[in-house]
Amino acid sequence: MTDIEQLQKFIDESQNIVFFGGAGVSTASGIPDFRSPNGLYAQNYGNRKPEYILSSTCWKNERELFYKFYFDKILMNGQKIEPNIIHKKLAELEAIGKLKAIITQNIDTLHQDAGSKNVYQVHGTTLTNHCIRQGCNKEYSIRDLFERKNEDGIPVCDCGSVIKPDVTLYEEQLPSDAWENSVKALKNADMLIIAGTSLVVYPAASLLNYFRGDKLVILNLQETEADSMADLVIHKDMKDVFEKIIVR
Ligand code: APR
């Protein structure tokens, strides 16, 4: 049996699948990942490190640099990014009741755009943004963010305060609702597919310890630290693999 036939067999046998994904899920849509050789962290941004720019410290102390990077590299300057076959197949698996949850470290909206409903974004989301002033906290869309930039490129609320994306920056707490929903889904799952993630960022990577089922699949170009625990490991391009999955 080939590795893809084994994956298909696991999926056919399972009724309670959870998917745990990372940046490798969105690379086929044109969004670079972080730690691959051509990933975001391999690039310098005006000789500043992206890992620093995406931190709470940078957002607090160097807002012009943060928002320039955010609009350019995270929102891709408003370029329309489409869900790929992976997002679409996962939405189909949810629609027939097999896939119960997507836990993603990604902050893009491609799973939602593909029609998935139970998407838990443990590193927050670009989908929404909020004014930081206590008592205001007004919500804004991605489009609003572009339209509300001041002369320094910083998006400003009607009340005059700064609008902050709902993404989890380095040094910040993960959203508790996404975390709790992820733990609950993992405890009930009979199959866990981990894909497109280097599994090097904690606490997100520790979520897989809540999985109790008997079908753990790792689908990733590079090796991960969880490979030895898996029932099936596929080191291939996940786009090619998902193209062969039959939703039935
Ligand atoms: N098919 C399979 N695997 C892929 C593909 C692909 N088409 N493209 C990339 N990958 C793999 C890479 O080999 C790599 O191991 O996906 C993994 C992506 O790892 P990272 O770039 O580290 O991304 P991720 O694991 O999501 O990072 C976690 O780090 O910076 C933080 O908050 C950020 O959520 C992010 C977190």
XYZ file of all heavy atoms in Angstrom, residues 18-26 34 87 90 101-112 116 118-125 168 174-175 178-179 182 193 195-197 204 207:
337
model
N -9.228 15.634 13.129
C -8.783 17.012 13.397
C -7.533 17.265 12.557
O -6.695 16.381 12.395
C -8.476 17.217 14.905
C -7.740 18.543 15.148
C -9.778 17.204 15.705
N -7.480 18.462 11.999
C -6.324 18.874 11.186
C -5.582 19.969 11.941
O -6.188 20.947 12.388
C -6.815 19.396 9.828
C -5.714 19.855 8.893
C -5.073 18.948 8.067
C -5.314 21.193 8.848
C -4.052 19.357 7.203
C -4.296 21.610 7.999
C -3.670 20.682 7.177
N -4.271 19.802 12.082
C -3.425 20.817 12.742
C -2.430 21.305 11.702
O -1.574 20.542 11.248
C -2.686 20.209 13.940
C -1.782 21.185 14.662
C -2.246 21.922 15.739
C -0.460 21.372 14.259
C -1.409 22.818 16.406
C 0.375 22.276 14.908
C -0.112 22.992 15.987
N -2.567 22.590 11.288
C -1.745 23.050 10.163
C -0.864 24.242 10.471
O -1.053 24.944 11.469
N 0.076 24.470 9.570
C 0.988 25.604 9.666
C 1.157 26.250 8.310
O 0.382 26.005 7.385
N 2.202 27.043 8.207
C 2.390 27.904 7.026
C 2.508 27.124 5.722
O 2.192 27.632 4.646
C 3.617 28.785 7.243
N 2.900 25.849 5.820
C 3.034 25.031 4.601
C 1.711 24.795 3.907
O 1.666 24.479 2.722
N 0.583 25.012 4.638
C -0.743 24.825 4.029
C -1.019 25.935 3.013
O -1.698 25.727 2.013
C -1.829 24.821 5.137
C -3.236 24.752 4.543
C -1.595 23.643 6.092
N -0.460 27.140 3.295
C -0.771 28.307 2.449
C 0.285 28.602 1.390
O 0.086 29.494 0.558
C -0.982 29.554 3.332
O -2.112 29.360 4.176
N 7.660 30.382 6.965
C 8.600 31.170 7.768
C 10.017 30.618 7.710
O 10.977 31.364 7.487
C 8.113 31.197 9.240
C 6.809 31.915 9.407
C 5.596 31.219 9.420
C 6.780 33.302 9.519
C 4.389 31.892 9.552
C 5.567 33.988 9.653
C 4.381 33.277 9.666
N -7.045 23.709 1.322
C -8.150 24.375 2.025
C -9.501 23.820 1.547
O -10.411 23.584 2.360
C -8.110 25.887 1.770
C -6.848 26.568 2.179
N -5.854 26.948 1.280
C -6.381 26.936 3.402
C -4.865 27.522 1.927
N -5.140 27.523 3.208
N -10.228 20.176 2.726
C -10.542 20.154 4.164
C -11.972 20.651 4.396
O -12.714 20.097 5.208
C -9.531 21.015 4.936
C -8.121 20.441 5.044
C -7.155 21.487 5.607
C -8.102 19.176 5.914
N -12.585 19.698 13.123
C -11.954 20.990 13.450
C -10.654 21.160 12.686
O -9.947 20.182 12.411
C -11.669 21.080 14.945
N -10.380 22.400 12.349
C -9.061 22.790 11.827
C -8.411 23.665 12.881
O -8.976 24.695 13.279
C -9.185 23.585 10.512
C -9.670 22.677 9.370
C -7.835 24.219 10.133
C -10.018 23.430 8.095
N -7.264 23.224 13.369
C -6.462 24.060 14.284
C -5.319 24.595 13.433
O -4.586 23.818 12.818
C -5.890 23.213 15.445
C -7.017 22.522 16.216
C -5.025 24.078 16.365
C -6.528 21.431 17.161
N -5.225 25.914 13.334
C -4.162 26.440 12.476
C -3.322 27.479 13.197
O -3.846 28.256 13.995
C -4.721 27.025 11.156
O -3.615 27.445 10.340
C -5.651 28.193 11.415
N -2.034 27.468 12.884
C -1.123 28.512 13.378
C -1.120 29.690 12.413
O -0.501 30.713 12.674
C 0.294 27.956 13.515
C 0.396 26.777 14.470
C 1.723 26.061 14.328
O 2.692 26.356 15.024
N 1.777 25.121 13.419
N -1.790 29.523 11.276
C -1.792 30.555 10.246
C -2.759 31.674 10.615
O -3.804 31.422 11.226
C -2.180 29.964 8.881
C -1.158 28.946 8.398
O -0.060 28.861 8.959
N -1.515 28.158 7.414
N -2.408 32.873 10.244
C -3.252 34.042 10.551
C -4.017 34.511 9.309
O -4.827 35.421 9.396
C -2.387 35.189 11.111
C -1.247 35.551 10.162
C -1.836 34.805 12.482
C -0.386 36.724 10.652
N -3.784 33.811 8.169
C -4.560 34.181 6.977
C -5.988 33.644 7.111
O -6.291 32.891 8.040
C -3.872 33.645 5.696
C -3.797 32.118 5.652
O -4.846 31.456 5.821
O -2.702 31.577 5.447
N -6.847 34.031 6.141
C -8.271 33.669 6.266
C -8.663 32.597 5.251
O -9.842 32.420 4.942
C -9.131 34.926 6.015
O -8.880 35.359 4.658
C -8.776 36.057 6.965
N -7.690 31.873 4.721
C -7.961 30.978 3.584
C -8.854 29.783 3.938
O -9.644 29.322 3.109
C -6.640 30.511 2.971
C -5.807 31.638 2.322
C -4.444 31.127 1.883
C -6.562 32.263 1.158
N -8.765 29.269 5.164
C -9.677 28.164 5.533
C -11.121 28.674 5.551
O -12.025 28.013 5.031
C -9.313 27.622 6.922
C -8.073 26.781 6.944
N -7.954 25.604 6.236
C -6.900 26.950 7.587
C -6.756 25.071 6.458
N -6.092 25.878 7.264
N -11.341 29.840 6.139
C -12.684 30.420 6.168
C -13.149 30.749 4.741
O -14.280 30.480 4.364
C -12.712 31.705 7.021
C -12.420 31.506 8.517
C -10.951 31.671 8.860
O -10.057 31.372 8.034
N -10.671 32.120 10.077
N -14.652 26.480 5.374
C -14.544 25.754 6.657
C -15.178 26.581 7.772
O -15.024 27.812 7.816
C -13.073 25.472 6.984
O -12.566 24.498 6.092
N -15.373 25.314 11.456
C -14.690 25.142 12.746
C -13.179 25.344 12.580
O -12.420 24.384 12.474
C -14.978 23.748 13.311
C -16.442 23.594 13.685
O -17.098 24.563 14.062
N -16.969 22.403 13.531
N -12.788 26.612 12.541
C -11.373 26.956 12.348
C -10.871 27.644 13.617
O -11.403 28.692 14.007
C -11.186 27.906 11.156
C -9.704 28.231 10.952
C -11.765 27.276 9.880
N -9.901 27.022 14.276
C -9.387 27.613 15.520
C -7.994 28.157 15.245
O -7.053 27.392 15.011
C -9.359 26.557 16.630
C -10.698 25.892 16.852
C -10.824 24.526 16.994
C -11.876 26.649 16.888
C -12.047 23.912 17.163
C -13.121 26.057 17.049
C -13.198 24.693 17.183
O -14.426 24.091 17.345
N -7.875 29.519 15.233
C -6.609 30.157 14.891
C -5.837 30.475 16.182
O -6.039 31.490 16.828
C -6.864 31.430 14.069
C -7.468 31.097 12.689
C -7.570 32.301 11.764
O -8.532 33.055 11.816
N -6.592 32.455 10.893
N -4.932 29.573 16.533
C -4.237 29.687 17.828
C -3.179 30.797 17.848
O -2.661 31.146 18.906
C -3.598 28.347 18.255
C -4.673 27.304 18.568
C -2.627 27.838 17.206
N -2.868 31.369 16.675
C -1.976 32.537 16.647
C -2.725 33.779 16.210
O -2.145 34.724 15.709
C -0.769 32.277 15.732
C 0.205 31.328 16.350
N 1.204 30.713 15.641
C 0.319 30.872 17.627
C 1.905 29.936 16.462
N 1.374 30.000 17.672
N -4.057 33.756 16.420
C -4.865 34.923 16.067
C -5.152 34.954 14.578
O -4.903 33.985 13.859
N -5.671 36.099 14.112
C -6.161 36.185 12.735
C -6.009 37.591 12.161
O -6.090 38.583 12.894
C -7.656 35.791 12.690
O -8.100 35.796 11.336
C -8.515 36.753 13.516
N -1.598 37.197 17.042
C -0.828 37.013 18.278
C 0.643 37.292 17.969
O 1.267 36.557 17.196
C -0.981 35.560 18.788
O -2.374 35.275 18.950
C -0.260 35.363 20.113
N -1.635 33.499 23.724
C -2.474 32.964 22.638
C -3.951 33.177 22.997
O -4.293 33.193 24.185
C -2.206 31.471 22.448
C -1.034 31.085 21.515
C 0.275 31.673 21.972
C -0.931 29.585 21.385
N -4.832 33.332 21.998
C -6.264 33.514 22.288
C -6.824 32.284 23.021
O -6.741 31.155 22.526
C -6.906 33.695 20.915
C -5.890 33.291 19.914
C -4.544 33.351 20.557
N -9.565 29.936 21.247
C -9.012 29.044 20.206
C -8.285 27.874 20.872
O -8.404 26.710 20.448
C -8.067 29.823 19.296
N -7.557 28.150 21.948
C -6.800 27.112 22.638
C -7.770 26.079 23.242
O -7.638 24.872 23.004
C -5.929 27.723 23.735
C -5.086 26.716 24.445
C -5.412 25.999 25.553
C -3.777 26.279 24.063
N -4.395 25.129 25.875
C -3.370 25.290 24.982
C -2.891 26.623 23.029
C -2.143 24.650 24.912
C -1.657 25.984 22.944
C -1.297 25.015 23.881
N -9.451 23.966 20.704
C -8.485 23.028 20.108
C -8.276 21.824 21.013
O -8.303 20.669 20.566
C -7.142 23.731 19.864
O -7.313 24.819 18.989
N -4.307 14.865 11.672
C -3.386 15.115 10.559
C -2.620 16.393 10.878
O -3.224 17.456 11.020
C -4.139 15.300 9.222
C -5.030 14.091 8.911
C -3.137 15.541 8.083
C -5.955 14.303 7.702
N 0.104 18.962 9.440
C 0.661 19.203 8.102
C 1.180 20.625 7.938
O 0.599 21.584 8.452
C -0.420 18.948 7.047
N 2.281 20.747 7.206
C 2.805 22.058 6.839
C 3.273 22.875 8.013
O 3.126 24.100 8.024
N 3.850 22.202 9.003
C 4.380 22.932 10.155
C 5.674 22.296 10.635
O 5.826 21.084 10.635
C 3.375 22.980 11.327
O 3.983 23.652 12.441
C 2.906 21.609 11.745
N 1.960 26.275 20.887
C 1.104 25.662 19.859
C 1.497 24.200 19.609
O 0.651 23.304 19.578
C 1.176 26.459 18.559
N 0.093 21.259 21.642
C -1.311 20.847 21.541
C -1.436 19.370 21.153
O -2.372 18.686 21.588
C -2.050 21.718 20.516
C -2.612 23.042 21.021
C -3.032 23.922 19.845
C -3.775 22.820 21.993
